[in-house]
């Protein structure tokens, strides 16, 4: 399936990129497309992530915290 922005319906993530993580939130290794989200550095190792279309807050991208070495976690 495809996960979309709750505010505008913009396509964000594919269920193929979803993985189990200890956090209570869904975790993904990658966005659906390059323009799915916008990112800005919030602190070292964490980027603030917003919808690429409407700017709705989506949380963070944690660098090097994915299921494989070097992958990020959204």
């Amino acid at each position: 399936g495809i996960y979309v922005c709750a505010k505008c319906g913009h396509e964000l993530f594919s269920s193929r990129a979803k993985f189990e993580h200890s956090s209570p939130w869904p975790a993904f290794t990658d966005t659906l497309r390059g323009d799915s989200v916008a990112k800005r550095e919030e602190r070292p190792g964490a980027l603030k992530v917003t919808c690429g279309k409407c700017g709705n807050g989506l949380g963070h991208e944690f660098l090097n915290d994915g299921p494989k070495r070097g992958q990020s976690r959204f």
Side-chain angles (χ1 to χ4, degrees), residues 40-48 60-63:
R40 68 173 170 78
E41 187 172 14
E42 187 170 75
R43 61 183 186 270
L47 306 175
K48 184 70 176 170
H60 294 86
E61 176 182 2
F62 297 98
L63 307 177

Side-chain angles (χ1 to χ4, degrees), residues 9-47:
H10 187 60
E11 295 182 338
L12 305 170
F13 305 100
S14 168
S15 60
R16 293 181 188 168
K18 189 175 178 183
F19 69 98
E20 295 263 346
H21 190 269
S22 61
S23 72
W25 310 107
F28 303 90
T29 55
D30 203 1
T31 60
L32 192 60
R33 294 187 306 268
D35 68 347
S36 292
V37 302
K39 308 174 198 178
R40 68 173 170 78
E41 187 172 14
E42 187 170 75
R43 61 183 186 270
L47 306 175

